Amino acid sequence: MLEILEHLISQEAQHPHQFRKALYRELLSSEVYLLTLGEPIKDGLSTFRKSNDFLLWAEQKSPGEFRVPVFPSSDSVASFISSHHLTAPEGKEFLWMSQNPQKALAPLLELNGFLGLNLYLAENESVAVSQEETKLLAQGIIPHAA
């Protein structure tokens, strides 16, 4: 449930490594959101091209290395955009949709420089998830809590 996932992200952000196993268990049974950039939506229809263009929002940590923010709800995506004062490039707009975590996480592991996830709830409530933990979650395995 959404409220449980949000609560566990908040608890884990306040008390690192105390709620991680419960957080991962709930994460695997929930849907998550990724922030992307795409063509503007017209008349309620997406105008994605059928090419391989897929612009995923990521947070650069150092040259060539990044973390991908993952959100438990559309409200947390909107909060992220607002708190980071983000604006989409000209001709693009921010888009997000919910997905099964395993389906959403597996492709991220193929990206060069991928360090892991940032489970984002609010400005001061986020949880870093390592690349190794992300790999296990993408396989449906709950990583051992540290």
Side-chain angles (χ1 to χ4, degrees):
M1 298 195 87
L2 173 61
E3 296 84 13
I4 296 171
L5 181 58
E6 289 176 328
H7 174 73
L8 289 169
I9 291 172
S10 177
Q11 290 299 303
E12 179 63 23
Q14 293 173 32
H15 308 282
H17 302 292
Q18 290 186 21
F19 298 91
R20 193 143 304 215
K21 194 167 192 169
L23 171 63
Y24 289 159
R25 185 177 295 112
E26 188 64 26
L27 178 65
L28 287 177
S29 65
S30 302
E31 294 221 327
V32 295
Y33 292 77
L34 296 175
L35 180 58
T36 65
L37 289 166
E39 300 294 322
I41 294 177
K42 296 182 171 105
D43 300 325
L45 299 174
S46 174
T47 58
F48 279 117
R49 290 183 223 122
K50 293 191 179 206
S51 71
N52 289 331
D53 294 343
F54 181 71
L55 301 174
L56 177 67
W57 190 268
E59 299 174 296
Q60 186 172 352
K61 295 300 176 186
S62 63
E65 296 183 323
F66 60 90
R67 287 192 176 277
V68 174
V70 174
F71 308 91
S73 68
S74 59
D75 288 346
S76 58
V77 180
S79 171
F80 179 84
I81 292 169
S82 175
S83 68
H84 287 77
H85 308 290
L86 303 180
T87 55
E90 188 174 331
K92 301 282 184 191
E93 68 181 16
F94 291 119
L95 303 171
W96 55 87
M97 63 180 169
S98 63
Q99 292 191 26
N100 171 293
Q102 288 176 263
K103 183 177 179 182
L105 301 180
L108 301 179
L109 297 166
E110 304 296 322
L111 302 174
N112 289 331
F114 175 71
L115 293 175
L117 308 174
N118 183 25
L119 298 176
Y120 184 92
L121 181 59
E123 181 60 25
N124 294 315
E125 292 182 301
S126 64
V127 175
V129 179
S130 72
Q131 182 186 38
E132 283 303 311
E133 291 169 315
T134 302
K135 184 177 182 180
L136 291 171
L137 289 166
Q139 296 170 10
I141 300 169
I142 297 172
H144 295 290

